[in-house]
Amino acid sequence: MEIDISGAVQGFVQDVEKQVASRAERAAHVIRKYELSVLSNNPKRSGKVYRKPASNKTYTASAPGEPPALRTGDLRRSFRPLAKSEIVQSAKHYTPGIRTDVKYAPLLEDGTNRISPRPYAEEIKQKAFPEVKAIFEEKYT
């Protein structure tokens, strides 16, 4: 004999799944906030000073090991929180995050045979983690 209450529990499970998906989306926005912070020019970078093309202004590039310096802002503006359809994956696995389609983003992160890495992803994750963790530790209703 089986005593099954899955019907009674199913609504609760669906509510919790919706809350988790919502929290994953909120967490993605938190990650985006820290991405904007890490890829800003604050603190100033310590690399070589260059003249901006077609102007008399200059900017200080990042040194190896520093997050990329802000020159045009294209990389910084390109990151977007994952869409809900991207957050919800197979087997009810929720992954909050951000993504960019800028082709040079991984080249800056990992470096090439011509430039040293300008890592930024790990710093973003470390700064965002406490706030993301707090989002998922909130009481489920």
Side-chain angles (χ1 to χ4, degrees), residues 53-120:
S55 84
N56 290 328
K57 296 181 179 181
T58 62
Y59 77 98
T60 304
S62 57
E66 293 179 341
L70 185 65
R71 186 174 70 102
T72 65
D74 289 345
L75 176 65
R76 187 174 187 251
R77 282 191 304 272
S78 71
F79 280 92
R80 298 284 180 259
L82 297 178
K84 278 187 179 180
S85 61
E86 295 172 304
I87 291 172
V88 180
Q89 297 178 352
S90 63
K92 302 294 183 203
H93 180 79
Y94 299 90
T95 306
I98 57 176
R99 94 172 39 217
T100 182
D101 293 328
V102 171
K103 292 185 185 335
Y104 58 84
L107 302 177
L108 288 169
E109 175 71 24
D110 302 327
T112 68
N113 60 349
R114 296 183 67 191
I115 63 166
S116 297
R118 274 32 180 201
Y120 54 91

Side-chain angles (χ1 to χ4, degrees), residues 19 23 26 131 133-141:
Q19 289 179 56
R23 291 174 191 209
R26 284 174 47 207
E131 200 170 330
K133 182 179 178 205
I135 288 171
F136 283 98
E137 286 178 340
E138 293 171 0
K139 185 177 179 180
Y140 288 86
T141 57

